[in-house]
Amino acid sequence: MNCTSTLTDYRGTGFYSKIILDYLEGKEQLKPFYAHPVSVAGIKAAIENRDKYPTNRKLLVEILNKHYKDNAPTTRQQLNIGLLSKNNTYSITTAHQPNIFTGHLYFIYKILHTIKLCEQLKNEMPENNYVPVFYMGSEDADLDELGHIFINGNKHFWETKQTGAVGRMKVDKGLQKMLSDIAGEITVEPFGKDIIDTMSACYTEGATIEQATFKLINILFGSYGLLVLLPDDAEYKRAFNSVTEKELKEQFSYKIVEHTVSNFPKEYKVQAAGRALNMFYLKDDLRERIEKLNDQYTVVNTEYSFSEKEMMEELHEHPERFSPNVILRPVFQEMILPNIAFIGGGGELAYWLELKKVFDAVLVPYPVLILRNSFLLAEKKQIEKISQLGFSVIDLFKPKEDLLNALVKRETTVQLSLQNEKKTLQEFYDTIKKVSGEVDVTLIQHTDALRKQAVRKIEVLEKKMLKAEKKKFEAQQRQIQKIKLQLFPHNNLQERIENFMSFYAKYGRQFIDTVYEFSLGVEQEFCIIELK
């Protein structure tokens, strides 16, 4: 593929929150809420901090080998699993729920960013090893969020009656029908059948969503050495028991986050306040919150009830039944991995900024927080159409009306600006003000009011002239609207809506390799890729 890329500032896109933009720019008011800056120097500091923490590498390697036993790891994956037993090996991690068929494009982007950063750090600090890890949030139970995808703007749902943790749900006929419907859309493309066959091989009836996602990620990224970590494992959970017990007995995390949020700069929106007790009870098709009242623990929406003694026994006998929520999940991740950097989206980083003191309370190292790479993919026909309209792809971030106004003013053969006339009007009223002021100084203020009124009327006329002229450019207006809808579906970033399959169907494996080629490491810029 003959592709080019353009980098631009995140702020100029108009799609990112103030807290993320200020974090990227290193604003002083946010520095108390994280540990290390986004830079190679920040990574070095994170390594020094990590080396003080006793990561259970033996457990990590054993469980990874167990999970990969039946999944034929690539040579690079086998090498990386082995490297994790060494004290000079560190992980770079991204995390996501097991969205059906990977969900949105950014699922792919954050994984490739993780892989690229490992490569960059190996070049910068070759004395260490860096392993890319995808932490699968299999215990998430929000099927409304995870159970649909968009293909070329068309929404496809998984219709199922299953409940509980999505990772534990099973591929059923409803999901296979969903895939069949998608196949009808994309198998007309050169590589459409290839990606549908891959999906069909992963999402076999009876397989869990966790198993299917694990297999798919390994097919797509195993050659890069990416490791998938499945945290829904009894032995990983047992290693987290000390934190789970502390949370059950003390409800420590809520108090800390509440204090942090109260000290948060007022201009930022609180991302995740958490609950009084930030643990779920996970059993079979059930994942519900645990609540504590006096000395009794209950599982919401169930008949399960435990005394403190019974709850501690349940924890130590069945650690797999306890699931940290959004507040404690990051601590769990950092406890079991020798991690130095976490790559996440804007929402993820915003809630991580609330958690530094939670990490401090359990003496777990806090990683460098890196905003995941973002891309806008513009295809050849779209680029040609944008060029014909006299714009570049980067111009398309501007509002539709601004683009049309610029086009009309550029292309029109009539005068639309009354700037010279307004200047003449100003000079006219300056003369009147001088004359009236000589008669009565109080008339100067009245003259100024008349001038402002007259200028406003001229400006209204100017807008009406532009509006009338725009009617002559209705074809271009429709073209702008169409191209904006393609590149920014639902008035959002493409990566937050579209699934990767429609691009893979057109370009095949080269699509993955191209995004990897243009992926950045610690650099934090938005990238536009022109697929030619």
Side-chain angles (χ1 to χ4, degrees):
M1 292 170 66
N2 179 25
C3 303
T4 58
S5 71
T6 304
L7 298 177
T8 188
D9 183 74
Y10 278 103
R11 188 175 290 276
T13 69
F15 283 100
Y16 292 83
S17 66
K18 178 175 173 53
I19 189 170
I20 292 303
L21 294 173
D22 287 357
Y23 173 71
L24 294 178
E25 293 169 8
K27 294 291 177 68
E28 284 295 323
Q29 64 263 36
L30 283 174
K31 288 185 178 179
F33 301 96
Y34 60 91
H36 314 289
V38 183
S39 62
V40 173
I43 296 286
K44 288 180 179 178
I47 289 174
E48 291 179 12
N49 201 30
R50 187 82 227 182
D51 285 344
K52 300 172 187 175
Y53 184 79
T55 305
N56 191 340
R57 293 175 180 270
K58 184 173 182 291
L59 172 69
L60 175 62
V61 170
E62 284 179 358
I63 303 302
L64 283 170
N65 277 322
K66 180 181 77 173
H67 290 163
Y68 273 94
K69 183 179 178 182
D70 298 320
N71 284 278
T74 65
T75 302
R76 289 185 69 176
Q77 286 176 318
Q78 289 175 319
L79 174 64
N80 281 342
I81 292 173
L83 286 174
L84 283 169
S85 64
K86 300 179 180 296
N87 289 331
N88 68 332
T89 298
Y90 306 93
S91 61
I92 307 294
T93 303
T94 192
H96 208 72
Q97 307 98 313
N99 288 62
I100 301 307
F101 309 135
T102 75
H104 310 298
L105 271 165
Y106 63 72
F107 186 104
I108 303 296
Y109 298 165
K110 67 199 311 187
I111 288 175
L112 289 171
H113 189 169
T114 304
I115 296 166
K116 194 61 168 279
L117 180 57
C118 287
E119 178 187 301
Q120 184 186 64
L121 294 179
K122 187 63 178 175
N123 290 331
E124 293 279 351
M125 295 175 279
E127 67 275 13
N128 299 319
N129 304 304
Y130 309 92
V131 174
V133 173
F134 176 81
Y135 177 106
M136 194 189 304
S138 305
E139 295 161 38
D140 197 304
D142 189 354
L143 189 62
D144 287 342
E145 179 186 354
L146 309 186
H148 70 270
I149 65 169
F150 286 88
I151 300 289
N152 296 321
N154 298 317
K155 193 172 187 178
H156 297 264
F157 294 92
W158 179 21
E159 295 183 6
T160 184
K161 294 181 180 179
Q162 297 179 68
T163 58
V166 173
R168 294 187 178 186
M169 292 181 185
K170 293 186 176 180
V171 177
D172 56 16
K173 293 191 185 306
L175 187 60
Q176 291 186 324
K177 181 184 181 301
M178 179 182 172
L179 184 59
S180 178
D181 292 341
I182 293 167
E185 284 192 46
I186 67 173
T187 50
V188 295
E189 300 291 352
F191 301 95
K193 186 177 183 301
D194 291 353
I195 191 60
I196 292 298
D197 287 348
T198 297
M199 290 294 182
S200 298
C202 297
Y203 290 82
T204 56
E205 189 169 358
T208 67
I209 299 303
E210 179 184 81
Q211 290 168 340
T213 307
F214 185 90
K215 189 172 182 180
L216 176 62
I217 293 173
N218 279 319
I219 289 173
L220 294 177
F221 305 106
S223 61
Y224 291 109
L226 177 81
L227 298 179
V228 179
L229 187 138
L230 303 178
D232 190 5
D233 184 281
E235 293 311 307
Y236 282 147
K237 298 281 186 71
R238 195 178 302 281
F240 193 61
N241 271 5
S242 61
V243 177
T244 303
E245 184 173 327
K246 182 178 177 67
E247 178 66 10
L248 290 169
K249 288 182 176 180
E250 303 173 19
Q251 293 89 66
F252 79 99
S253 63
Y254 177 73
K255 299 166 191 173
I256 293 173
V257 172
E258 188 178 39
H259 181 263
T260 298
V261 167
S262 69
N263 289 301
F264 229 59
K266 301 302 180 189
E267 64 263 38
Y268 303 129
K269 177 185 175 184
V270 174
Q271 189 70 21
R275 296 185 180 274
L277 202 162
N278 289 304
M279 294 297 297
F280 285 90
Y281 190 72
L282 185 67
K283 189 176 181 182
D284 301 324
D285 61 352
L286 169 78
R287 185 179 187 253
E288 294 285 356
R289 288 187 295 108
I290 301 171
E291 290 187 346
K292 184 181 182 184
L293 183 62
N294 299 321
D295 292 326
Q296 198 71 17
Y297 295 90
T298 60
V299 180
V300 175
N301 298 323
T302 76
E303 296 180 355
Y304 290 118
S305 180
F306 304 86
S307 67
E308 183 171 294
K309 182 174 181 295
E310 291 169 336
M311 184 58 94
M312 293 306 116
E313 289 174 352
E314 181 79 354
L315 171 63
H316 291 284
E317 289 176 15
H318 299 286
E320 72 279 3
R321 294 180 181 174
F322 294 81
S323 174
N325 77 350
V326 68
I327 300 298
L328 287 175
R329 188 209 66 74
V331 179
F332 180 36
Q333 170 187 299
E334 298 300 309
M335 274 191 75
I336 59 180
L337 284 166
N339 204 49
I340 53 174
F342 174 71
I343 294 173
E348 288 173 292
L349 265 54
Y351 76 73
W352 273 72
L353 289 170
E354 300 171 16
L355 304 180
K356 183 173 178 291
K357 291 189 181 299
V358 175
F359 278 79
D360 293 344
V362 289
L363 305 177
V364 175
Y366 191 88
V368 177
L369 301 181
I370 300 177
L371 181 66
R372 64 166 174 79
N373 284 330
S374 283
F375 297 95
L376 176 66
L377 306 174
E379 299 182 80
K380 184 177 180 180
K381 288 183 179 179
Q382 295 167 335
I383 297 165
E384 289 173 351
K385 183 59 66 177
I386 293 167
S387 180
Q388 289 169 9
L389 290 167
F391 297 113
S392 65
V393 177
I394 201 168
D395 289 327
L396 270 290
F397 281 100
K398 298 173 184 175
K400 180 181 66 177
E401 281 303 307
D402 289 358
L403 292 172
L404 183 60
N405 289 344
L407 184 144
V408 171
K409 289 175 181 178
R410 186 181 68 231
E411 301 294 333
T412 186
T413 58
V414 299
Q415 179 184 336
L416 294 176
S417 171
L418 297 176
Q419 196 61 37
N420 292 334
E421 287 73 13
K422 281 189 280 187
K423 183 179 179 183
T424 301
L425 187 68
Q426 295 278 13
E427 292 170 351
F428 173 69
Y429 273 97
D430 284 342
T431 302
I432 292 178
K433 185 167 71 171
K434 183 178 179 182
V435 172
S436 63
E438 290 176 353
V439 175
D440 184 345
V441 71
T442 63
L443 294 175
I444 292 176
Q445 188 174 357
H446 179 63
T447 306
D448 280 337
L450 289 173
R451 170 166 53 188
K452 288 178 182 177
Q453 189 179 59
V455 170
R456 277 198 300 270
K457 289 181 177 180
I458 293 295
E459 288 173 345
V460 169
L461 176 60
E462 204 171 32
K463 289 177 182 177
K464 288 183 176 180
M465 290 167 60
L466 177 59
K467 184 178 180 181
E469 185 65 8
K470 283 195 312 194
K471 291 179 180 178
K472 302 175 185 177
F473 292 83
E474 287 184 356
Q476 291 92 329
Q477 185 170 352
R478 286 193 298 271
Q479 290 170 354
I480 290 172
Q481 187 169 348
K482 182 179 179 181
I483 201 75
K484 285 277 286 185
L485 184 62
Q486 290 173 350
L487 295 180
F488 302 94
H490 300 273
N491 294 316
N492 208 332
L493 286 176
Q494 177 191 65
E495 63 186 36
R496 299 176 187 173
I497 303 294
E498 283 290 331
N499 180 265
F500 87 100
M501 279 195 280
S502 55
F503 290 95
Y504 195 106
K506 294 174 185 174
Y507 305 106
R509 177 76 204 185
Q510 277 193 304
F511 169 70
I512 300 288
D513 295 337
T514 296
V515 175
Y516 177 68
E517 177 188 348
F518 292 111
S519 292
L520 305 175
V522 293
E523 305 86 355
Q524 299 276 260
E525 291 187 274
F526 191 101
C527 183
I528 298 164
I529 300 179
E530 297 188 4
L531 303 170
K532 298 176 181 177

